[in-house]
Amino acid sequence: MKIKNKIVIALGIILGVVTVNAQNTTIKNADFKQWAQTPPMGWNSWDCYGSTVEEHEVKANADYMVKNLKKYGWEYIVVDIRWFVENDKAGGYNQKDPRYVMDQYGRYLPALNRFPSAKDGQGFKPLADYIHSKGLKFGIHIMRGIPKKAVEEKLPIKGANGITADQIYTTALQCTWLKDNYTILADKPGAQEYYDSLFELYAQWGIDFIKIDDLSRPYHEGEINLIRKAIDKCGRKIVLSTSPGETPISAAAHVSSHANMWRMVDDVWDTWPHITHLMDVAQKWYPYIAPGTWPDCDMIPLGRISLRGERGEDRMSRLTKDEQYTLITFFNIFKSPLFFGGDLPSNDAFTLSLLTNKEVVKMHRESTDVKQLFQKDGKVAMTSRNPKDGSVYLALFNISDKNDVKVSVPLADLGITKADAVDLWSGKKTATVTNEISVSLKAHASVLYKLKAKK
């Protein structure tokens, strides 16, 4: 989902500390960070189904997760974009004659021809109940702003004392790649009430996760303030993911105090340049990796993708096995949220193995002090530590197109002089390492070690 508009226009910004619920907790208390102390892990429908996913497909992926992934920490099932359009299409969006489903307050509702359990005004509650019955959590995607249709029909905003949708919008900074919504003017009476009404509805449905699109470039601080307050006010612990695009580093302090995760780049697909670009952009975000707030690498484009997706034909990931190891190693040691993008029931044994390595999952969950040691000459070294058992993790990458590249790290750079090493992907133990750890890697390949210091 690409954004090309670079124009920056000042929007109304709500500043200061705001009381947000009956317990008088406030935004500055950052209670929401407790809801994602470890990076969220789940499945998202975008990479494989685009804007056309249907209820039976969502359930099939949930069933697979329960059987194969839940015990490793995977728990979120997320329905991505345009679940409220009856006649959307694969390979893009139907923007010619979309049939929206919406209530009397300008709030989108699930399309019944795709989500039949939403009948009789139940919305996503029956599907959320199904997901919850499996011990999983349920999420949805929305676009920022207010529907154009609501503005055109001057629909009332619930709880706003007669204010209608046409009184809180602007055409400035409208999303360039999807024209369903207009920008909300954050300082207008009724703006907060509109977002409050959305999250009141989502809390009634049982939503646990919300991905909100077109927030990051340019950075919509005013709307993010409205969203944070609305989530905290709704009384339900809803994890907030801001998306997509290269969130500006200048917004790091704000986004890390308002969202649980935020996208660092545009969509990551199954091509090598997407991976190297991600690793380059991620360099500035290491200081912001912290419990409750996570820089987000995007969905994991592995397994079977684009069944009815935006990019290309139905396929297994085009990345080589070495490239897949590199991608999943980087996502894990960086402690990115992990949202698998492929169709889970279509997984082969190799793809499943990338998601269910106990030691890698443990690293992702428990490690701290994530650092990049270097990124130069096509070589990358990253490290983190496990405070529970004293282990040191080390990932080495050859991101160049050259084979047999030697990547080395002095053990002194890791604070140790001698160590036993285990390759986490193969489980193979190496000979005791002294002074330096070094490996020769093929083009686009990587290795992930767990080191135990020895005297």
Side-chain angles (χ1 to χ4, degrees), residues 281-299:
V281 172
Q283 292 185 84
K284 59 192 175 188
W285 287 108
Y286 284 83
Y288 299 95
I289 300 170
T293 54
W294 309 103
D296 178 17
C297 289
D298 190 26
M299 274 84 76

Side-chain angles (χ1 to χ4, degrees), residues 195-203 210 212 227 230-231 234 238:
Y195 272 113
D196 288 351
S197 75
L198 289 184
F199 284 95
E200 176 187 59
L201 181 64
Y202 301 157
I210 188 83
I212 305 185
I227 291 161
I231 293 175
C234 81
I238 300 176

Side-chain angles (χ1 to χ4, degrees), residues 179 219 256 351:
K179 303 293 186 179
Y219 186 75
S256 62
T351 303

Side-chain angles (χ1 to χ4, degrees), residues 211-262:
K211 173 184 172 184
I212 305 185
D213 221 324
D214 197 45
L215 280 172
S216 300
R217 193 176 64 220
Y219 186 75
H220 292 271
E221 184 170 325
E223 286 200 63
I224 292 173
N225 288 335
L226 300 180
I227 291 161
R228 177 75 266 147
K229 183 179 178 183
I231 293 175
D232 292 340
K233 185 177 180 180
C234 81
R236 187 170 180 85
K237 298 176 180 179
I238 300 176
V239 169
L240 172 60
S241 167
T242 68
S243 178
E246 296 188 7
T247 302
I249 195 67
S250 60
H254 185 268
V255 75
S256 62
S257 62
H258 286 72
N260 297 107
M261 47 189 279
W262 57 91

Side-chain angles (χ1 to χ4, degrees), residues 228-362:
R228 177 75 266 147
K229 183 179 178 183
I231 293 175
D232 292 340
K233 185 177 180 180
C234 81
R236 187 170 180 85
K237 298 176 180 179
I238 300 176
V239 169
L240 172 60
S241 167
T242 68
S243 178
E246 296 188 7
T247 302
I249 195 67
S250 60
H254 185 268
V255 75
S256 62
S257 62
H258 286 72
N260 297 107
M261 47 189 279
W262 57 91
R263 286 273 292 279
M264 298 182 291
V265 294
D266 288 325
D267 289 5
V268 173
W269 286 100
D270 52 332
T271 71
W272 182 246
H274 279 94
I275 300 173
T276 53
H277 175 67
L278 171 63
M279 295 174 81
D280 183 55
V281 172
Q283 292 185 84
K284 59 192 175 188
W285 287 108
Y286 284 83
Y288 299 95
I289 300 170
T293 54
W294 309 103
D296 178 17
C297 289
D298 190 26
M299 274 84 76
I300 299 169
L302 302 182
R304 186 184 178 192
I305 58 178
S306 207
L307 278 74
R308 299 191 303 276
E310 182 197 34
R311 301 287 179 91
E313 301 299 321
D314 184 351
R315 63 188 183 276
M316 295 299 287
S317 180
R318 294 172 294 196
L319 297 172
T320 67
K321 284 191 175 183
D322 280 339
E323 291 169 346
Q324 292 186 53
Y325 275 123
T326 290
L327 181 149
I328 202 70
T329 295
F330 179 78
F331 275 53
N332 273 279
I333 197 168
F334 189 80
K335 291 182 74 75
S336 172
L338 301 179
F339 281 83
F340 189 75
D343 180 58
L344 288 173
S346 302
N347 273 353
D348 57 15
F350 173 70
T351 303
L352 181 59
S353 74
L354 299 176
L355 311 180
T356 56
N357 182 298
K358 291 180 181 179
E359 286 295 322
V360 175
V361 167
K362 180 180 180 181

Side-chain angles (χ1 to χ4, degrees), residues 41-45 55 57-66 69 74-80 127-128 130-132 134 136-141 207-209 339 344:
M41 300 168 64
W43 173 81
N44 180 291
S45 63
E55 183 168 356
E57 293 161 332
V58 176
K59 288 183 174 180
N61 278 273
D63 294 345
Y64 180 97
M65 183 176 288
V66 170
L69 298 175
W74 300 84
E75 61 178 344
Y76 287 95
I77 296 290
V78 180
V79 173
D80 209 273
L127 181 54
Y130 180 87
I131 302 299
H132 294 152
K134 303 287 184 177
L136 303 176
K137 296 179 180 179
F138 181 57
I140 59 173
H141 168 289
I207 301 300
D208 305 296
F209 181 99
F339 281 83
L344 288 173

Side-chain angles (χ1 to χ4, degrees), residues 408-427:
S408 304
V409 171
L411 289 184
D413 291 355
L414 306 175
I416 52 181
T417 57
K418 187 177 182 181
D420 288 332
V422 178
D423 182 323
L424 289 192
W425 288 114
S426 70

